[in-house]
Amino acid sequence: MSVFKPFFRFFSGRPWHQGGAIFVAVAALYGWLQAQPSFRDPDSFYHAGLAVLTGRLGPIRDFPWLPFTTLSQAFADQHFFYHLLLVPFVWLFGPLPGLRLATVLLGAAAVTAFFLVTRLFRLRHGWAFTLLLATSADLIFRLNLGKASALAITLLLLGFVCALHGRRWLLLLIAWLYVWTHGSWPLLPFVALVVAAVQSSVIFFGLPTDVRSSSRLLTALRSPESGRAWSAAGLACLGAIGGLVANPFFPANLEFYWRQTVQVALVGLTDAVEVGIEWYPYALSDLIRQNGVVFVLLAVLVALAVGVSIVGRRAWRSEAGDYGRNLVPLLATGAVSLALLMMTLKSRRHVEFLVPFALLLEAIWFDRLTRRVDLRQLVSFFFVGRKRLGRIMVGYVVLTLLFLPIRDVFLVSRSLRTNAYDWSRFTEVGDWMRLHVPPGSVVFNGDWADFPVLFYRFPEGRYIIGLDAGFLYLRDPARYDDWRLISSGQAGQDVGERIEKVFGSHYVLVRRDQVSLLRSVESDPTLLPVYEDDEVLVFMRFWELGLDLDL
């Protein structure tokens, strides 16, 4: 063991060295997950393409690629800061390899940020909770999709710490950048307000109860701790407002966020249109199954807390240490985790924020328990004369917590390779369209998930639907219904005439697996195949009606 002493000495008490080791280890794991030349989410092609355009042209303020959607009326690059960070990667390594490398590094940075938060709170075994976070199924999957999620998680964790420690001006800057990074930016002002409310509540309930409630409330609100917390919350809100107003896309971004954040995210369009799976509710049973580590740890902590309440002081340590600290972080993290749980049950995309906060809650809770309670003594109280049974129970829990992360890593690895979008997708048809389709021509696409790849391969074209079906529906529900009927092969006869009349398109791109649409298009004698390969066919309408569209 003496061989390893210099190694342990190098990392002992050095959080930045430990953080570096965590970063390298997680980057290696995520690099292995990203080894295949494909993306699980087609939106990755959109991010790669927009990063290229941003590096070449600066902020993209107009979005002509989807002329029938609300994006053609009011567009804001809600991931602008993320795309700026991608620019050097796509320049140095190429768009798709550069995006993959950035995805690995940003994912590792998000996990490392979590670890540094545990170190800042001086939590015991923070590295263990960090590794559980890095291998949690839902989070691994979301971090490796080639999207802005990892950067958003990093900013939210850093903002949370700033709110707790009163780093007000840094919090303002983070809130500002968050608005430029991800559509979840309202979470940071919400988190800061929760911290302020918890801080005041802790002071309020800590005052003598024989004092009138109004006096206790005023005393709590006027305390220096509450003052700093509410000031930080105010600056977080000010930073978000600043990010909205001092924005390359102002004022179009206000209309964009109204539709994206309110109409699509909060109100929801799942009953009206077919949207991505991330917008649908997350069944609690599925959430528990997909994030077993989080809920097993929660069950263990609840069991320990119940055990402590039964045994009482007999299981306490003789020296409780600084047990009372981290009360505000514990309660604030618990409140935020509960809110994120409710949001995740409504829309599963929020799970990427729920998992880090839930594990941070459990890390703080575990730290407080172990500072006051001797766990060995607590277990011995419940297994008097049955020590072997106690060891078996503890061993079972430990093995479960070791097995679940390994299982999750391999399940996510298989999922990332299943139904993935290969980097060569639509390469041949994109090259053909560059040569044979006039720039600005509208190409009918029968699947909104095809748009990101088409946007990347043939940015000179214009398309019907993409990024989210709700953008077409909110612009013109009747036109969305026409698209839905045509793409499902239920438009009846003269589908080419209907496509031209409604969308002004003479080109129809059909994947070979879109059997209903392909059969409908082939039945129209005015639509003739002009290109085909192993993936798609392109049809062109030769009986031109020359109708003008009022877009």
PDB file of all heavy atoms in Angstrom, residues 480-491:
ATOM      1  N   TYR A 480     -51.032  22.928 -40.349  1.00  0.00           N
ATOM      2  CA  TYR A 480     -50.473  21.771 -39.647  1.00  0.00           C
ATOM      3  C   TYR A 480     -51.318  20.523 -39.914  1.00  0.00           C
ATOM      4  O   TYR A 480     -50.769  19.431 -40.136  1.00  0.00           O
ATOM      5  CB  TYR A 480     -50.398  22.027 -38.140  1.00  0.00           C
ATOM      6  CG  TYR A 480     -50.039  20.782 -37.359  1.00  0.00           C
ATOM      7  CD1 TYR A 480     -48.723  20.339 -37.275  1.00  0.00           C
ATOM      8  CD2 TYR A 480     -51.034  20.017 -36.741  1.00  0.00           C
ATOM      9  CE1 TYR A 480     -48.397  19.178 -36.598  1.00  0.00           C
ATOM     10  CE2 TYR A 480     -50.721  18.858 -36.056  1.00  0.00           C
ATOM     11  CZ  TYR A 480     -49.402  18.442 -35.987  1.00  0.00           C
ATOM     12  OH  TYR A 480     -49.092  17.280 -35.317  1.00  0.00           O
ATOM     13  N   ASP A 481     -52.639  20.673 -39.901  1.00  0.00           N
ATOM     14  CA  ASP A 481     -53.511  19.523 -40.182  1.00  0.00           C
ATOM     15  C   ASP A 481     -53.293  19.004 -41.595  1.00  0.00           C
ATOM     16  O   ASP A 481     -53.303  17.786 -41.826  1.00  0.00           O
ATOM     17  CB  ASP A 481     -54.985  19.916 -39.987  1.00  0.00           C
ATOM     18  CG  ASP A 481     -55.336  20.087 -38.511  1.00  0.00           C
ATOM     19  OD1 ASP A 481     -54.633  19.513 -37.668  1.00  0.00           O
ATOM     20  OD2 ASP A 481     -56.310  20.808 -38.209  1.00  0.00           O
ATOM     21  N   ASP A 482     -53.092  19.929 -42.546  1.00  0.00           N
ATOM     22  CA  ASP A 482     -52.791  19.498 -43.917  1.00  0.00           C
ATOM     23  C   ASP A 482     -51.488  18.703 -43.958  1.00  0.00           C
ATOM     24  O   ASP A 482     -51.415  17.652 -44.608  1.00  0.00           O
ATOM     25  CB  ASP A 482     -52.683  20.723 -44.839  1.00  0.00           C
ATOM     26  CG  ASP A 482     -54.043  21.253 -45.249  1.00  0.00           C
ATOM     27  OD1 ASP A 482     -54.928  20.432 -45.536  1.00  0.00           O
ATOM     28  OD2 ASP A 482     -54.218  22.484 -45.282  1.00  0.00           O
ATOM     29  N   TRP A 483     -50.470  19.215 -43.282  1.00  0.00           N
ATOM     30  CA  TRP A 483     -49.189  18.499 -43.254  1.00  0.00           C
ATOM     31  C   TRP A 483     -49.351  17.119 -42.636  1.00  0.00           C
ATOM     32  O   TRP A 483     -48.808  16.132 -43.138  1.00  0.00           O
ATOM     33  CB  TRP A 483     -48.154  19.301 -42.461  1.00  0.00           C
ATOM     34  CG  TRP A 483     -46.885  18.534 -42.242  1.00  0.00           C
ATOM     35  CD1 TRP A 483     -45.831  18.413 -43.100  1.00  0.00           C
ATOM     36  CD2 TRP A 483     -46.568  17.721 -41.093  1.00  0.00           C
ATOM     37  NE1 TRP A 483     -44.873  17.582 -42.557  1.00  0.00           N
ATOM     38  CE2 TRP A 483     -45.299  17.139 -41.328  1.00  0.00           C
ATOM     39  CE3 TRP A 483     -47.235  17.438 -39.903  1.00  0.00           C
ATOM     40  CZ2 TRP A 483     -44.688  16.299 -40.411  1.00  0.00           C
ATOM     41  CZ3 TRP A 483     -46.628  16.597 -38.986  1.00  0.00           C
ATOM     42  CH2 TRP A 483     -45.369  16.041 -39.245  1.00  0.00           C
ATOM     43  N   ARG A 484     -50.106  17.036 -41.545  1.00  0.00           N
ATOM     44  CA  ARG A 484     -50.284  15.763 -40.850  1.00  0.00           C
ATOM     45  C   ARG A 484     -50.996  14.745 -41.731  1.00  0.00           C
ATOM     46  O   ARG A 484     -50.597  13.569 -41.792  1.00  0.00           O
ATOM     47  CB  ARG A 484     -51.070  15.983 -39.555  1.00  0.00           C
ATOM     48  CG  ARG A 484     -51.270  14.736 -38.712  1.00  0.00           C
ATOM     49  CD  ARG A 484     -52.009  15.069 -37.431  1.00  0.00           C
ATOM     50  NE  ARG A 484     -53.260  15.748 -37.704  1.00  0.00           N
ATOM     51  CZ  ARG A 484     -54.396  15.135 -38.060  1.00  0.00           C
ATOM     52  NH1 ARG A 484     -54.404  13.810 -38.219  1.00  0.00           N
ATOM     53  NH2 ARG A 484     -55.496  15.818 -38.277  1.00  0.00           N
ATOM     54  N   LEU A 485     -52.032  15.181 -42.443  1.00  0.00           N
ATOM     55  CA  LEU A 485     -52.759  14.270 -43.324  1.00  0.00           C
ATOM     56  C   LEU A 485     -51.879  13.803 -44.478  1.00  0.00           C
ATOM     57  O   LEU A 485     -51.872  12.622 -44.845  1.00  0.00           O
ATOM     58  CB  LEU A 485     -54.012  14.965 -43.858  1.00  0.00           C
ATOM     59  CG  LEU A 485     -55.152  15.180 -42.850  1.00  0.00           C
ATOM     60  CD1 LEU A 485     -56.254  16.029 -43.477  1.00  0.00           C
ATOM     61  CD2 LEU A 485     -55.715  13.840 -42.377  1.00  0.00           C
ATOM     62  N   ILE A 486     -51.128  14.738 -45.055  1.00  0.00           N
ATOM     63  CA  ILE A 486     -50.265  14.377 -46.186  1.00  0.00           C
ATOM     64  C   ILE A 486     -49.160  13.431 -45.728  1.00  0.00           C
ATOM     65  O   ILE A 486     -48.899  12.397 -46.351  1.00  0.00           O
ATOM     66  CB  ILE A 486     -49.660  15.642 -46.827  1.00  0.00           C
ATOM     67  CG1 ILE A 486     -50.771  16.497 -47.463  1.00  0.00           C
ATOM     68  CG2 ILE A 486     -48.624  15.263 -47.884  1.00  0.00           C
ATOM     69  CD1 ILE A 486     -50.299  17.864 -47.905  1.00  0.00           C
ATOM     70  N   SER A 487     -48.488  13.750 -44.626  1.00  0.00           N
ATOM     71  CA  SER A 487     -47.347  12.948 -44.179  1.00  0.00           C
ATOM     72  C   SER A 487     -47.767  11.565 -43.707  1.00  0.00           C
ATOM     73  O   SER A 487     -46.952  10.625 -43.737  1.00  0.00           O
ATOM     74  CB  SER A 487     -46.595  13.675 -43.051  1.00  0.00           C
ATOM     75  OG  SER A 487     -47.446  13.868 -41.933  1.00  0.00           O
ATOM     76  N   SER A 488     -49.025  11.417 -43.297  1.00  0.00           N
ATOM     77  CA  SER A 488     -49.511  10.096 -42.884  1.00  0.00           C
ATOM     78  C   SER A 488     -50.131   9.318 -44.033  1.00  0.00           C
ATOM     79  O   SER A 488     -50.659   8.219 -43.826  1.00  0.00           O
ATOM     80  CB  SER A 488     -50.530  10.243 -41.752  1.00  0.00           C
ATOM     81  OG  SER A 488     -51.656  11.000 -42.182  1.00  0.00           O
ATOM     82  N   GLY A 489     -50.097   9.892 -45.257  1.00  0.00           N
ATOM     83  CA  GLY A 489     -50.635   9.210 -46.426  1.00  0.00           C
ATOM     84  C   GLY A 489     -52.145   9.211 -46.505  1.00  0.00           C
ATOM     85  O   GLY A 489     -52.738   8.368 -47.190  1.00  0.00           O
ATOM     86  N   GLN A 490     -52.804  10.157 -45.817  1.00  0.00           N
ATOM     87  CA  GLN A 490     -54.264  10.199 -45.785  1.00  0.00           C
ATOM     88  C   GLN A 490     -54.839  11.378 -46.562  1.00  0.00           C
ATOM     89  O   GLN A 490     -55.994  11.743 -46.370  1.00  0.00           O
ATOM     90  CB  GLN A 490     -54.737  10.288 -44.329  1.00  0.00           C
ATOM     91  CG  GLN A 490     -54.260   9.138 -43.459  1.00  0.00           C
ATOM     92  CD  GLN A 490     -54.665   9.313 -42.005  1.00  0.00           C
ATOM     93  OE1 GLN A 490     -55.694   9.914 -41.707  1.00  0.00           O
ATOM     94  NE2 GLN A 490     -53.847   8.792 -41.104  1.00  0.00           N
ATOM     95  N   ALA A 491     -54.033  11.967 -47.440  1.00  0.00           N
ATOM     96  CA  ALA A 491     -54.485  13.152 -48.165  1.00  0.00           C
ATOM     97  C   ALA A 491     -55.363  12.808 -49.359  1.00  0.00           C
ATOM     98  O   ALA A 491     -55.926  13.701 -49.997  1.00  0.00           O
ATOM     99  CB  ALA A 491     -53.283  13.974 -48.631  1.00  0.00           C
TER     100      ALA A 491
END
